[in-house]
Amino acid sequence: MGELSILGTKGDTKVIWDPENEDEVEAAEEQFDTLIDKGFLAFEVKKAGRKGKQIKEFDPDAGKIIMTPAVKGG
Amino acid sequence: MAYYDTTSGTATWQTWTSPVFYYRDCSSAWPEWTAGATSATTGNGTWQVWASDTTTVTVSVDTTWGTWASDDEFVEISRIGGQLPRSQTHAELEAERKRRKEAEKKAEEAVAAQEQAEKKAKDLLEDLIGEDQLKVYEQTGRLLVHGRKYDYLLTKSGDVRRFEKDKVVDLCIHLVDKFKMPETDNVISLKLLAEANEEGFNKLANTIRSGSAEELPEAACA
């Protein structure tokens, strides 16, 4: 199962998909693309202690993805 | 409608002002009532002063009160001159009490939602760093992050410090809507970016100051 955690004002919202279910993958990808267009950053993350990587395209086999609002310098 | 009370003396004043006391500073009620007056005495002695030493109001304390609390829109008080507006009616006070109670309830709900959001953020951070590291974060409010080139110290309150070979650099970088987000979500975002795209992280960050660790006070990034 894939999991997309989207950070927001009320904590993260999760979108879960089965990589073998086309409809679920499509819905998750659509959500991903919408947020990227809004300036969100996406990170494919691994288990505790392992560094993740920044991604710009949805990968249904990524496992876990965290999307954060844009970051800026103060 | 008037709010009748048949008590007299200091007790009357306190009774009269008590509904107001719940909503406003008691000391502000009297100046509000006597706006435009040339003189007034505040405190518990007010009622006695009000009801005595008057040349035009010849009624007793109790009837003065009755006059004050009657349905007239204004009560003329010659002693201090001018006409004084009546205070809020009981119904108005009740409506104000309800409004305040609803506002307090909303504020409590907002605090509870904020705490819930922060808890979710910590759960997510725990997924990333593990239980032991989360305990350290909860105790210290700090998270040490290892980039490919430098190490970074992120704090829950939003401070960011970069450790270089022979100096430390205080940075300012945060989520666009930092103040609307759970504090720990800001930490998560910076951790992920510093680890996955350190160059991009440092390009975005503004340098506040740099120096040796001994030279720099606590980092501060608003």
Side-chain angles (χ1 to χ4, degrees):
Chain A
M1 297 296 279
E3 183 182 296
L4 179 63
S5 291
I6 304 157
L7 304 196
T9 53
K10 294 178 181 174
D12 65 312
T13 306
K14 287 183 169 48
V15 176
I16 293 170
W17 71 91
D18 177 351
E20 291 179 4
N21 183 321
E22 277 184 29
D23 290 343
E24 288 182 12
V25 169
E26 198 176 313
E29 186 167 8
E30 197 177 322
Q31 181 96 1
F32 181 96
D33 291 342
T34 302
L35 291 170
I36 288 289
D37 288 346
K38 284 182 180 174
F40 274 62
L41 308 176
F43 300 93
E44 181 185 339
V45 296
K46 307 291 180 188
K47 284 181 184 174
R50 294 182 60 192
K51 288 185 175 71
K53 66 174 181 180
Q54 191 170 2
I55 56 174
K56 294 195 174 163
E57 285 180 9
F58 181 74
D59 177 3
D61 299 316
K64 182 161 183 162
I65 298 170
I66 295 177
M67 297 195 77
T68 82
V71 169
K72 68 170 187 177
Chain B
M1 291 297 289
Y3 179 54
Y4 287 96
D5 194 298
T6 55
T7 53
S8 61
T10 300
T12 303
W13 176 248
Q14 287 169 340
T15 305
W16 176 249
T17 57
S18 63
V20 177
F21 184 78
Y22 291 124
Y23 312 116
R24 301 183 190 158
D25 177 4
C26 191
S27 62
S28 69
W30 181 251
E32 187 180 317
W33 288 356
T34 58
T38 52
S39 66
T41 307
T42 58
N44 287 339
T46 302
W47 180 251
Q48 287 92 330
V49 174
W50 176 271
S52 63
D53 189 27
T54 169
T55 53
T56 58
V57 179
T58 54
V59 290
S60 68
V61 167
D62 284 351
T63 54
T64 302
W65 177 252
T67 305
W68 173 254
S70 71
D71 285 340
D72 295 336
E73 196 176 348
F74 293 97
V75 175
E76 189 167 334
I77 306 299
S78 300
R79 185 172 57 78
I80 57 174
Q83 288 187 320
L84 305 181
R86 289 165 52 77
S87 179
Q88 290 167 292
T89 64
H90 190 59
E92 286 171 338
L93 288 172
E94 191 58 25
E96 191 173 328
R97 189 187 67 79
K98 275 186 183 171
R99 276 196 297 275
R100 177 165 282 231
K101 212 165 186 179
E102 280 168 16
E104 282 171 0
K105 193 181 167 194
K106 277 186 183 174
E108 281 171 12
E109 285 170 356
V111 169
Q114 209 172 9
E115 286 172 357
Q116 180 63 23
E118 178 61 20
K119 187 187 175 303
K120 284 176 83 176
K122 280 185 185 169
D123 288 345
L124 184 60
L125 182 61
E126 186 177 2
D127 287 347
L128 296 173
I129 64 176
E131 194 182 338
D132 291 344
Q133 285 299 308
L134 183 74
K135 275 183 189 165
V136 174
Y137 172 74
E138 284 182 321
Q139 284 166 3
T140 63
R142 296 173 178 188
L143 180 69
L144 186 62
V145 171
H146 304 288
R148 285 182 171 78
K149 199 169 176 186
Y150 304 115
D151 289 338
Y152 301 84
L153 190 66
L154 311 177
T155 74
K156 196 177 168 189
S157 57
D159 299 326
V160 181
R161 180 164 279 187
R162 183 175 69 213
F163 294 92
E164 298 183 10
K165 192 180 173 187
D166 52 3
K167 67 174 180 180
V168 293
V169 182
D170 286 339
L171 304 172
C172 199
I173 180 169
H174 51 78
L175 283 173
V176 169
D177 287 327
K178 173 187 164 188
F179 294 108
K180 292 182 185 170
M181 303 284 290
E183 288 175 320
T184 298
D185 272 352
N186 189 58
V187 171
I188 290 171
S189 304
L190 297 183
K191 167 189 161 54
L192 291 172
L193 188 59
E195 287 178 346
N197 181 3
E198 189 172 10
E199 196 183 337
F201 178 93
N202 283 310
K203 265 187 187 169
L204 281 174
N206 284 331
T207 298
I208 301 173
R209 60 199 160 200
S210 63
S212 68
E214 292 76 24
E215 285 170 352
L216 289 188
E218 281 295 306
C221 172

